[in-house]
Amino acid sequence: MADVGRVINDNSETADVPREWLVTNGLGGYASATIFGAISRRYHGFLIAALPPPLGRMVVLNDLDVEIERADGTIANLREQGRFVDFTLKMGLPSWRYEIDGSVVEKSVVLPSGHNIVHVTFRLLGDSREARLRLRPFINFRALGAPVDEALASGYALTARGNRYEIAAGPDLPILHLAIEGHDGATFTADGGLRRECFFEIEAQRGYHSRGWLWSPGYFTGTVGRDSPLTLVAATEPWHTVSALTPDDALGFETERRRRLIGLAATAARSRFGAELVLAADTFVITPAGRVADVARAHAEGDEVRTVIAGYHWFTDWGRDTMISLEGLTLSTGRAIEARWILRTFAHYVRDGLIPNMFPEGRSQGLYHTADATLWFFHALHRYVDYSDDRTTLQLILPILKDIARHHLEGTRFGIKVDPNDGLLVQGEEGYQLTWMDAKVDDWVVTPRRGKAVEINALWYNALQLLANWLNDCGDPQAAVFAAHAAKAYTSFNRRFWYEAGGYLYDVIDGEIGNDPAFRPNQIFAISLDHPILDKARWEPVVTAVRERLLTPMGLRSLAPGEPDYKPHYAGDLRARDAAYHQGTVWAWLIGPFIDAWLKVYPEEREVARHFLDAFEPHLAEAGTGSISEVFDAEPPFTPRGCIAQAWSVAEVLRAVVKTERRDTNPVGGAQPPGAMMRSTN
């Protein structure tokens, strides 16, 4: 099997949206920076470790300076004085090549899966026999989301244990282990602790603290040759674990693991763009660090614990994002057993008829402020059972689903309840943002949408129909009860949500301002779900209107141009960004439900549906290289914004790739195998 890859050899940089790289470790930890080496976010670093509560994810190795000792004794900084040759993603793993004084030095980064360890390896290419490198680590232990000028310790202690070194900052913080592998003559020079002020450019653009200090204990010196690589190892793992994974073994294991992932995926996802998305999907499926109770319970049941990171760099695992993403991340990729683990884990967390909306950083208990995540749980379970025919899991969760439906019918937290007059689901409580359009700044809920939201009722009807069908299959007499509730909701929805003057659906009815005719993408779910609540006669006008007013090459706008609150750009400080977050900003994940609705209306136009995805492949060479951004500006050139890698963006595009599979798709091993490098100069 050839390797899936992508090469960028253009050294131009866009200040507004720099290209960034990301490698994850399956725990929520990662390494990331710009591809030209800048540490420009508070979230950047070569080792962000995922640690048990109350620590959560922490930046422990912020940066790494690389210098080369010239033959005349002078020192040159590789990034600043060397010539950038190219950046390559090979099987999703990054490497760089720099030319300096006729020597070509390659740098690569590997994070062994399941470990808070990073290997930064250097190799000499070309005709040069060897070069002597200086590697200087920079450190400032800091909680992932903390301001860059906020350190967790006032000082650091360096301890040498032979040729291994430890950095400690206090009894309640992790120890950073540092070592060099590959050159027996490597040395470490402790030079008294160098401090360097760092300017975090993207933080400045986003309106946050942008200057902070990094500290270095000294530098390693070692020789790298054509056949003798040099690796800096940094870890918060104990030494015996670090020693068990040599750099060569770690690279081999990780490459093979990624090959297996591609081999498991659906046929359309085993080559080219699809295979890249499979590797991107893997970054989000994690074993959450520190959920000791979850692990113990899961092991007792013969399971493991998995969850989904909603987006990098700053999101944790969110219930809504997990359920929307589950099919694309786990079923399109052939990882059904992990889908089962995710569903069972979230089923355990149901409280008062709700699954958690999110698990905050460093905490093991979730927050429940969401009206739609639980309804997406029904959808995700249905797709899983349909894929796997795992009736055992369905039977285990069915009593929980009945309890969820009962809570919604009788009323639960945050004003979530069924209106007995029309059978529609109402939600909303002052100060909370309960739908996916959830931007909030201080006490300002930007798009509150309190009342009866269109997608909430589409999801409610879908959940009721699924539950009724499942109960009917096992002879439960309550099936008829839930089917009757579904029928009532269907009738009321079609009578009350149709906005005759516009020829589309209200976004919210019975809201704070009455019925809201703002043209938003939420109406597409009335068609796209497995049990569509909208009468079939109205599908085509809605799909046509959404295509004309909301569809862009990168997904759907969150509000149509011409609406009073429409914002064409998502930029500025937090308040400015959140004011635009759902007021026009394009969301990539919405392309999935749009294609679902399109194919229901035009089942023979699969090729047209496929072309709705065309712009996402070149996007893999910008912003978060190898992944898909969270959002995009609402107007050309549709600049990527938000998280550089978003779970539901990747998941829904991947799912749509599989759903719209071309008949000429070449699987791995075919005439055009995955892996021929895709070269980008944009």
Side-chain angles (χ1 to χ4, degrees):
M1 180 196 301
D3 289 335
V4 173
R6 183 173 289 268
V7 177
I8 295 173
N9 56 10
D10 175 13
N11 63 0
S12 64
E13 184 70 282
T14 301
D16 195 29
V17 185
R19 297 187 186 102
E20 300 175 60
W21 60 273
L22 171 74
V23 188
T24 61
N25 66 2
L27 301 172
Y30 64 87
S32 182
T34 72
I35 69 169
F36 299 113
I39 303 297
S40 54
R41 295 186 188 268
R42 71 176 104 173
Y43 306 102
H44 281 164
F46 279 84
L47 180 59
I48 286 78
L51 302 169
L55 295 177
R57 289 180 292 180
M58 284 182 54
V59 185
V60 292
L61 177 60
N62 300 71
D63 200 359
L64 180 65
D65 261 8
V66 182
E67 297 175 324
I68 188 167
E69 296 183 358
R70 289 173 164 147
D72 62 2
T74 59
I75 303 296
N77 186 283
L78 186 65
R79 183 167 68 89
E80 295 175 359
Q81 295 169 265
R83 180 181 68 85
F84 171 80
V85 177
D86 58 32
F87 167 84
T88 299
L89 279 181
K90 185 177 180 180
M91 299 299 285
L93 298 174
S95 63
W96 299 255
R97 291 190 301 163
Y98 292 91
E99 188 274 330
I100 186 167
D101 297 339
S103 297
V104 177
V105 178
E106 180 187 72
K107 178 180 74 173
S108 60
V109 175
V110 174
L111 275 71
S113 182
H115 298 284
N116 288 309
I117 301 173
V118 63
H119 293 162
V120 187
T121 298
F122 298 86
R123 292 177 172 83
L124 198 63
L125 308 177
D127 297 330
S128 300
R129 297 186 61 186
E130 63 179 29
R132 194 159 177 82
L133 300 182
R134 288 186 181 182
L135 309 179
R136 179 182 287 277
F138 280 92
I139 296 158
N140 179 14
F141 288 6
R142 176 172 45 80
L144 178 61
V148 295
D149 59 351
E150 180 180 307
L152 289 176
S154 58
Y156 298 91
L158 170 67
T159 302
R161 301 187 185 279
N163 61 351
R164 298 172 172 177
Y165 300 86
E166 299 176 354
I167 308 293
D172 298 324
L173 296 174
I175 294 174
L176 176 62
H177 300 95
L178 296 170
I180 287 287
E181 296 281 347
H183 182 221
D184 293 338
T187 62
F188 179 77
T189 301
D191 58 5
L194 178 70
R195 295 181 79 229
R196 183 182 76 186
E197 187 180 32
C198 187
F199 174 61
F200 297 82
E201 183 176 2
I202 297 179
E203 296 305 302
Q205 294 172 6
R206 291 164 60 86
Y208 297 115
H209 293 289
S210 58
R211 293 190 179 275
W213 289 94
L214 305 180
W215 173 80
S216 175
Y219 59 89
F220 293 92
T221 305
T223 300
V224 58
R226 283 180 291 181
D227 300 316
S228 54
L230 189 70
T231 300
L232 175 76
V233 180
T236 58
E237 307 276 352
W239 281 118
H240 65 268
T241 301
V242 176
S243 301
L245 288 166
T246 68
D248 284 345
D249 285 345
L251 175 60
F253 294 154
E254 187 59 21
T255 301
E256 180 57 29
R257 187 184 73 83
R258 291 166 182 248
R259 289 178 187 271
R260 290 199 303 269
L261 290 176
I262 294 172
L264 286 171
T267 301
R270 295 183 198 170
S271 63
R272 303 174 183 168
F273 179 44
E276 287 189 274
L277 292 178
V278 169
L279 297 179
D282 179 59
T283 64
F284 304 105
V285 181
I286 70 160
T287 302
R291 301 255 184 96
V292 178
D294 286 351
V295 171
R297 184 190 69 256
H299 285 180
E301 295 175 343
D303 286 343
E304 296 289 344
V305 175
R306 294 290 189 276
T307 190
V308 170
I309 288 287
Y312 291 94
H313 303 90
W314 48 82
F315 285 126
T316 57
D317 45 338
W318 287 59
R320 173 191 301 118
D321 300 59
T322 297
M323 297 307 142
I324 291 171
S325 302
L326 185 128
E327 182 178 5
L329 297 184
T330 62
L331 304 183
S332 298
T333 59
R335 301 169 68 169
I337 191 170
E338 291 175 275
R340 184 186 78 190
W341 294 338
I342 291 168
L343 291 166
R344 290 191 181 190
T345 296
F346 272 88
H348 173 76
Y349 277 101
V350 171
R351 301 287 184 274
D352 299 327
L354 302 174
I355 69 168
N357 187 36
M358 64 172 294
F359 290 87
E361 192 76 60
R363 289 171 55 180
S364 57
Q365 296 300 313
L367 301 178
Y368 287 80
H369 50 298
T370 170
D372 54 355
T374 310
L375 304 178
W376 280 111
F377 181 61
F378 284 76
H379 169 82
L381 178 63
H382 168 62
R383 293 295 174 90
Y384 165 72
V385 173
D386 199 44
Y387 177 94
S388 66
D389 199 31
D390 180 3
R391 298 288 162 173
T392 300
T393 292
L394 177 60
Q395 291 302 317
L396 285 172
I397 297 179
L398 259 179
I400 297 172
L401 301 182
K402 291 167 67 175
D403 186 63
I404 288 171
R406 179 181 63 81
H407 272 91
H408 282 66
L409 288 165
E410 297 175 359
T412 184
R413 305 183 192 182
F414 309 112
I416 300 170
K417 62 181 179 181
V418 166
D419 182 341
N421 295 313
D422 57 15
L424 297 174
L425 194 62
V426 62
Q427 56 79 33
E429 185 171 308
E430 187 71 30
Y432 287 92
Q433 65 282 33
L434 301 179
T435 73
W436 80 273
M437 290 188 162
D438 57 358
K440 182 180 178 182
V441 183
D442 300 322
D443 294 329
W444 176 37
V445 177
V446 183
T447 48
R449 304 182 72 232
R450 291 192 290 273
K452 297 166 183 172
V454 63
E455 84 281 9
I456 298 296
N457 279 281
L459 286 162
W460 171 237
Y461 173 76
N462 187 61
L464 286 172
Q465 288 283 47
L466 291 173
L467 181 56
N469 290 345
W470 288 327
L471 293 176
N472 187 63
D473 288 345
C474 59
D476 190 319
Q478 283 191 283
V481 175
F482 293 116
H485 284 296
K488 184 176 183 179
Y490 182 93
T491 300
S492 296
F493 183 95
N494 284 280
R495 176 172 53 86
R496 301 205 57 212
F497 268 94
W498 186 250
Y499 177 47
E500 187 66 40
Y504 60 87
L505 296 173
Y506 286 111
D507 189 58
V508 178
I509 63 171
D510 297 346
E512 295 172 286
I513 59 170
N515 296 344
D516 181 6
F519 194 89
R520 295 188 182 275
N522 304 304
Q523 60 191 302
I524 206 70
F525 295 104
I527 305 169
S528 66
L529 293 169
D530 292 307
H531 294 279
I533 193 171
L534 183 62
D535 185 273
K536 190 173 183 178
R538 288 171 170 167
W539 290 2
E540 186 169 10
V542 168
V543 169
T544 298
V546 168
R547 184 185 188 186
E548 291 175 350
R549 301 184 65 183
L550 300 180
L551 181 65
T552 76
M554 309 312 303
L556 300 186
R557 296 183 179 96
S558 47
L559 183 65
E563 294 282 354
D565 293 323
Y566 176 73
K567 304 288 191 301
H569 301 291
Y570 177 82
D573 61 16
L574 179 61
R575 188 175 185 86
R577 295 195 311 274
D578 277 352
Y581 206 31
H582 302 293
Q583 304 286 44
T585 297
V586 172
W587 289 77
W589 78 274
L590 293 172
I591 198 65
F594 176 75
I595 285 176
D596 291 337
W598 174 268
L599 290 175
K600 285 185 176 182
V601 175
Y602 307 108
E604 302 304 318
E605 296 193 12
R606 186 174 298 271
E607 191 65 22
V608 175
R610 178 71 180 209
H611 283 302
F612 294 144
L613 304 171
D614 285 349
F616 289 104
E617 184 168 351
H619 170 63
L620 296 189
E622 61 181 7
T625 53
S627 196
I628 300 178
S629 297
E630 178 187 12
V631 294
F632 299 79
D633 280 349
E635 301 292 342
F638 304 108
T639 303
R641 306 288 188 183
C643 282
I644 65 167
Q646 190 78 2
W648 57 14
S649 298
V650 171
E652 283 297 275
V653 172
L654 176 54
R655 184 180 68 82
V657 166
V658 172
K659 183 165 187 170
T660 60
E661 177 180 3
R662 290 190 179 115
R663 301 310 176 202
D664 62 349
T665 298
N666 290 293
V668 168
Q672 295 179 334
M677 295 291 183
M678 288 173 282
R679 188 170 298 274
S680 171
T681 57
N682 180 26

